[in-house]
């Protein structure tokens, strides 16, 4: 059973609405959402600007009964507005405002006018985020008035909503709430924990991004006040590592005695002194089937605590341990609440909302939970950065959070488990193939290799490329073909980049590289030397009667100075380049020697 009307937002303006109001709308494509500013302003505007608020939010997969149980939450709050907390053995509180729940849409679609809309069936009912339009004023354990609001969210994984939008709804709901209730079916499975860890990380990023990227001065002032208060409260504490769940677990339905430490609270993770971005998390497990038939309420609470230990205990497997570490790092307290099945009559499409038909064991467990949830010991106002915020400050934060999620500039793309796994596999195979290419190319053009002809290098590159692509094609078989093709193209681009690098390295080893810079000066030296020798042999001093027309000694000395200057310059350059020049001359000599020996051997064979 869940959820609200997908079709239709009430026609009246938000200021005229009563009941459940849609504060976040989803577009028809299920890819974007929009905050209804007028609605959220009208709701929070019903309490004084400086009053503290507590927001109870329920999230979870679609068709798991979130809106149905929220309708019962609503009945409880209405009843306890004029009565004391009820006994767990009675359902009078649920029937005080009528024998049937108001949100029933099995026969006629409701739009939250008198209760949170829910219905039986397989199609989703709630879209976006809905908030009850009227506050319920309660007392905290410090005697302070707190305005309590209820929030219902669109179910996750409904096959019509993008993964990014699902993450945004979950993250935004976590940011809004002081008490987050994660509704799960029958048991807490590992995928529930993994999705929780992923989606709350989006909320944590938005919490930080609201300070880093927002220009609203009121928001910055509230954020700075919160950060300063956290630093002051934490200055006298010795922050310790997260304790194991085996040694410190308190169930959410078990109200402890008053604690002297103001930071302690019910639930796992409340006693380690670390400041977390979010406050409370309850796993509300529906249709639990493992209670003993005659178990008392206290025995069932013991089962809840044991189950909390079981699902949150430290794991040896790294991926499982990382998931739990992420969850512990996000929430101040974590607990499990187990509810039995409400009765098969409730799941029938002809169910009329009759409270009498709800199973008595379900009502007993739910009443116990609600007595705790809305009791003074557990009820506390919304905190941001560890400091209570007023309704006016919360409104500013909500607008900032919604803008961050709408623009999605600070978030990575949310992917399905298949997409994430396939992408990881494609990345791994790309890296493996590229490493193989480099290994094979290094055998020919590695650090200890000599110069090879460009033709041989090109052929070796071609063979190495074929081998690398074969490795990728054999391993990259998971996910969409378009994604595989994309990574194959990236591999080809990276291989080509490496090929160009190898070509440059090989070119630097070419013994004939820049040989013209040495041939021209040496040619000039030889020409000058020959000219000097020739003129010394044929020199004469005068023609006719002692008329000096040519000074042989002067010309000879000048020519000597010129070619020795060139030789000196070449020696300076040679010594300056050091081993590089030596290796180059050595390579030239080796090539020349090989060519000479090959020619000599050919002549001997011919003889």
């Amino acid at each position: 059973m869940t959820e609200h009307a997908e079709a239709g937002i009430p026609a009246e303006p938000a200021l005229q609405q009563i009941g459940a109001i849609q504060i976040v709308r989803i577009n028809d494509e299920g890819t974007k959402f929009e905050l209804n500013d007028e609605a959220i302003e009208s709701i929070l505007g019903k309490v004084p600007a400086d009053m503290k608020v507590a927001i109870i939010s329920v999230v979870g997969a679609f068709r798991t009964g979130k809106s149905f149980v929220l309708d019962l939450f609503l009945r409880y709050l209405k009843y306890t507005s004029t009565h004391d907390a009820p006994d767990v053995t009675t359902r009078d509180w649920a029937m005080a405002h009528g024998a049937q729940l108001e949100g029933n849409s099995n026969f006629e679609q409701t739009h939250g006018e008198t209760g949170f809309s829910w219905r039986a069936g397989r199609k989703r009912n709630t879209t976006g985020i809905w908030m009850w339009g009227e506050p319920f004023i309660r007392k905290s354990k410090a005697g302070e008035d707190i305005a309590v609001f209820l929030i219902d969210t669109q179910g996750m994984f409904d096959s019509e909503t993008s993964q990014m939008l699902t993450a945004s709804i979950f993250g935004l709901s976590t940011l809004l709430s002081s008490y987050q209730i994660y509704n799960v079916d029958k048991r807490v499975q590992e995928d529930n924990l993994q999705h929780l860890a992923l989606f709350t990380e989006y909320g944590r990023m938005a919490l930080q991004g609201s300070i880093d990227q927002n220009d609203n001065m009121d928001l910055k002032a509230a954020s700075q006040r919160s950060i300063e208060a956290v630093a002051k409260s934490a200055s006298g504490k010795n922050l310790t590592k997260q304790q194991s769940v085996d040694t410190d677990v308190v169930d959410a339905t078990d109200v402890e005695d008053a604690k002297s430490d103001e930071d302690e609270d019910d639930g796992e993770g409340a006693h380690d002194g670390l400041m977390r971005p979010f406050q409370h998390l309850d796993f509300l497990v529906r249709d639990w089937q493992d209670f003993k038939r005659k178990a008392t309420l206290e025995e069932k609470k013991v089962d809840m605590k044991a189950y909390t230990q079981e699902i949150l205990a430290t794991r040896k497997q790294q991926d499982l341990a990382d998931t739990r570490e992420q969850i512990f790092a996000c929430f101040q307290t974590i607990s499990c609440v187990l509810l039995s099945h409400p009765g098969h009559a409730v799941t029938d499409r002809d169910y009329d909302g009759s409270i009498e038909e709800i199973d008595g064991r379900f009502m007993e467990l739910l009443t116990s939970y609600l007595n705790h949830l809305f009791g003074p010991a557990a009820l506390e106002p919304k905190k941001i950065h560890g400091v209570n915020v007023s309704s006016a400050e919360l409104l500013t934060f909500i607008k900032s959070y919604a803008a961050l999620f709408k623009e999605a500039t600070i978030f990575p793309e949310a992917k399905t488990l298949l997409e994430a796994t396939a992408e990881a596999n494609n990345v791994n195979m790309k890296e493996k193939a590229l490493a193989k290419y480099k290994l094979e190319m290094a055998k020919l053009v590695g650090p200890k290799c000599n110069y090879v002809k460009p033709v041989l290098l090109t052929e070796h590159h071609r063979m190495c490329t074929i081998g690398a692509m074969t490795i990728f094609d054999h391993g990259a078989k998971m996910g969409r073909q378009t994604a595989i093709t994309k990574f194959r193209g990236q591999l080809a681009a990276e291989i080509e980049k490496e090929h160009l690098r190898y070509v440059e390295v090989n070119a630097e080893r070419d013994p004939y590289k820049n040989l013209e810079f040495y041939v021209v000066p040496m040619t000039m030296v030889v020409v000058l030397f020959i000219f000097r020798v020739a003129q010394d042999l044929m020199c004469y001093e005068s023609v006719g009667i002692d008329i000096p027309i040519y000074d042989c000694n002067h010309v000879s000395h000048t020519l000597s100075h010129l070619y020795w200057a060139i030789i000196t310059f070449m020696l300076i350059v040679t010594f300056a380049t050091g081993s590089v020049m030596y290796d180059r001359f050595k390579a030239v000599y080796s090539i020349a020697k090989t060519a000479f020996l090959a020619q000599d051997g050919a002549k001997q064979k011919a003889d």
Side-chain angles (χ1 to χ4, degrees):
M1 243 140 300
T2 42
E3 278 127 37
H4 289 302
E6 179 178 1
I9 300 168
E12 297 88 0
L15 289 173
Q16 304 300 321
Q17 292 182 24
I18 58 173
I21 303 174
Q22 190 178 36
I23 62 172
V24 172
R25 302 187 183 98
I26 307 299
N27 66 351
D28 294 335
E29 292 75 22
T31 56
K32 295 181 180 179
F33 74 83
E34 179 183 3
L35 180 69
N36 187 344
D37 291 343
E38 185 181 11
I40 193 67
E41 287 174 2
S42 69
I43 294 172
L44 293 179
K46 293 179 181 179
V47 299
D50 59 348
M51 179 176 281
K52 306 299 186 296
V53 297
I55 298 181
I56 314 299
S57 174
V58 180
V59 295
F62 84 119
R63 312 311 304 157
T64 54
K66 298 187 303 299
S67 300
F68 173 77
V69 79
L70 266 171
D71 220 16
L72 289 168
F73 281 25
L74 191 59
R75 281 289 182 101
Y76 180 89
L77 287 172
K78 289 178 179 179
Y79 177 83
T80 53
S81 294
T82 55
H83 298 77
D84 292 334
D87 187 87
V88 296
T89 59
T90 180
R91 62 179 71 195
D92 291 345
W93 61 269
M95 301 181 67
H97 289 79
Q100 296 175 329
L101 292 173
E102 296 90 342
N104 181 17
S105 295
N106 282 331
F107 304 105
E108 182 179 354
Q109 182 66 58
T110 62
H111 301 119
E113 298 90 342
T114 55
F116 286 102
S117 175
W118 53 267
R119 68 182 177 194
R122 61 181 179 271
K123 295 183 178 180
R124 72 178 184 180
N125 192 46
T126 304
T127 59
I129 298 178
W130 294 67
M131 189 172 185
W132 189 251
E134 297 292 331
F136 296 92
I137 309 302
R138 293 292 184 271
K139 292 285 187 182
S140 68
K141 61 183 178 182
E144 182 182 24
D145 284 340
I146 299 178
V148 178
F149 292 96
L150 298 180
I151 283 184
D152 190 15
T153 61
Q154 175 175 328
M156 300 184 295
F157 319 122
D158 59 7
S159 75
E160 298 181 52
T161 307
S162 69
Q163 189 78 348
M164 184 64 200
L165 186 56
T166 297
S168 298
I169 291 174
F170 197 115
L172 183 58
S173 171
T174 304
L175 284 166
L176 297 180
S177 63
S178 55
Y179 217 111
Q180 179 81 301
I181 299 174
Y182 189 7
N183 192 75
V184 297
D185 185 38
K186 294 183 175 61
R187 64 188 59 81
V188 180
Q189 302 186 133
E190 193 60 32
D191 62 334
N192 298 135
L193 297 177
Q194 291 172 1
H195 286 123
L196 175 66
L198 172 64
F199 296 154
T200 52
E201 181 63 14
Y202 278 77
R204 188 195 63 78
M205 292 173 65
L207 186 64
Q208 182 61 40
S210 65
I211 304 173
D212 297 340
Q213 296 190 7
N214 200 285
D215 295 329
N216 188 299
M217 297 308 297
D218 293 336
L219 173 63
K220 286 185 177 293
S223 300
Q224 187 61 36
R225 179 174 71 85
S226 298
I227 293 172
E228 290 174 355
V230 170
K232 182 178 179 180
S233 64
S235 61
K237 297 180 181 178
N238 179 22
L239 299 183
T240 59
K241 188 177 180 180
Q242 171 68 49
Q243 299 296 318
S244 169
V245 66
D246 294 325
T247 60
D248 183 17
V249 178
V250 179
D251 180 73
T253 59
D254 185 11
V255 181
E256 292 189 325
D257 295 335
K259 303 177 180 68
S260 58
D261 187 346
E262 66 178 4
D263 287 323
E264 288 189 3
D265 202 344
D266 300 330
E268 165 58 21
H271 314 297
D272 58 9
L274 295 174
M275 191 64 65
R276 293 171 173 78
F278 310 122
Q279 292 166 261
H280 305 285
L281 171 68
D282 277 352
F283 289 100
L284 186 61
V285 182
R286 308 291 295 279
D287 302 348
W288 181 255
Q289 302 172 355
D290 202 31
F291 287 135
K292 293 181 181 178
R293 184 171 183 81
K294 296 183 179 180
T296 65
L297 179 60
E298 292 305 317
E299 289 174 335
K300 292 175 181 178
K301 289 182 179 180
V302 172
D303 283 348
M304 294 180 193
K305 182 181 292 188
Y307 188 61
T308 305
Q309 295 174 342
E310 179 183 329
I311 63 170
L312 296 179
T314 303
R315 297 295 195 270
K316 294 182 179 179
Q317 299 87 344
Q318 188 60 45
D319 58 336
L320 304 185
D322 290 346
T323 299
R324 285 154 179 78
E325 180 181 352
Q326 171 67 17
I327 295 172
F328 281 135
C330 285
F331 292 95
Q332 195 68 24
T333 62
I334 306 172
S335 301
C336 280
V337 179
L338 310 177
L339 297 181
S340 58
H341 198 284
H344 292 293
V346 176
T347 62
D348 195 289
R349 291 190 180 183
D350 293 328
Y351 176 58
D352 61 0
S354 172
I355 296 173
E356 282 290 351
E357 294 189 44
I358 301 176
D359 185 82
R361 291 167 293 183
F362 173 88
M363 291 298 295
E364 179 187 47
L365 290 166
L366 180 64
T367 305
S368 173
Y369 177 50
L370 295 178
N371 283 343
H372 166 74
L373 178 63
F374 297 111
L379 191 63
E380 65 176 32
K382 172 65 181 172
K383 296 180 179 181
I384 296 177
H385 304 301
V387 171
N388 299 337
V389 295
S390 66
S391 61
E393 291 173 333
L394 181 60
L395 177 61
T396 306
F397 276 105
I398 289 174
K399 291 181 178 180
S400 173
Y401 298 150
L404 287 173
F405 277 108
K406 184 177 181 180
E407 296 169 4
T409 56
I410 65 171
F411 305 116
E413 180 185 0
K415 296 180 173 64
T416 64
L417 291 178
L418 172 60
E419 289 175 332
T421 304
E423 180 174 328
N425 181 66
N426 290 336
V427 170
N428 289 337
M429 296 314 302
K430 185 189 73 171
E431 295 300 327
K432 183 178 180 180
L434 185 60
K436 181 64 175 177
Y437 172 82
K438 292 180 180 179
L439 179 64
E440 294 300 323
M441 288 294 290
K443 294 179 180 179
L444 185 68
V445 210
K448 297 182 180 181
C449 297
N450 295 321
Y451 173 78
V452 295
K453 294 181 179 180
V455 176
L456 295 178
L457 178 59
T458 301
E459 179 61 20
H460 188 68
H461 157 71
R462 187 181 70 83
M463 298 303 296
C464 292
T465 301
I466 292 174
M469 289 299 183
T470 301
I471 290 174
F472 179 84
D473 292 339
H474 284 173
K477 296 182 178 179
M478 179 179 291
R480 294 175 289 108
Q481 188 60 41
T482 53
I484 294 174
T485 303
K486 172 186 172 183
F487 278 96
R488 198 177 194 279
Q490 292 177 1
L491 173 60
E494 292 187 27
I495 286 177
E496 185 58 32
K497 183 177 179 181
E498 289 297 316
H499 173 229
L500 294 176
R501 185 177 66 83
Y502 284 123
V503 169
E504 291 177 359
V505 170
N506 186 61
E508 288 296 325
R509 296 171 179 163
D510 184 358
Y512 299 107
K513 179 180 173 62
N514 299 329
L515 193 60
E516 63 276 12
F517 296 112
Y518 304 98
V519 171
V520 173
M522 293 305 297
T523 302
M524 292 176 62
V525 169
V526 172
V527 170
L528 290 171
F529 179 77
I530 293 174
F531 185 68
R532 180 206 167 186
V533 172
Q535 77 90 32
D536 285 347
L537 292 176
M538 299 182 292
C539 184
Y540 58 90
E541 295 183 356
S542 60
V543 177
I545 49 176
D546 299 329
I547 300 176
I549 62 171
Y550 193 75
D551 189 342
C552 290
N553 291 332
H554 180 72
V555 172
S556 178
H557 291 159
T558 301
L559 293 175
S560 297
H561 291 159
L562 286 174
Y563 66 70
W564 275 114
I566 295 173
I567 292 173
T568 302
F569 174 76
M570 296 299 297
L571 289 174
I572 293 174
V573 172
T574 301
F575 283 117
T577 55
S579 60
V580 175
M581 186 60 66
Y582 172 77
D583 292 339
R584 184 155 292 171
F585 280 125
K586 185 178 179 181
V588 172
Y589 172 76
S590 176
I591 294 173
K593 182 179 178 181
T594 302
F596 175 77
L597 292 176
Q599 186 178 9
D600 188 55
K603 288 182 177 180
Q604 290 180 358
K605 288 183 179 180
D607 295 340

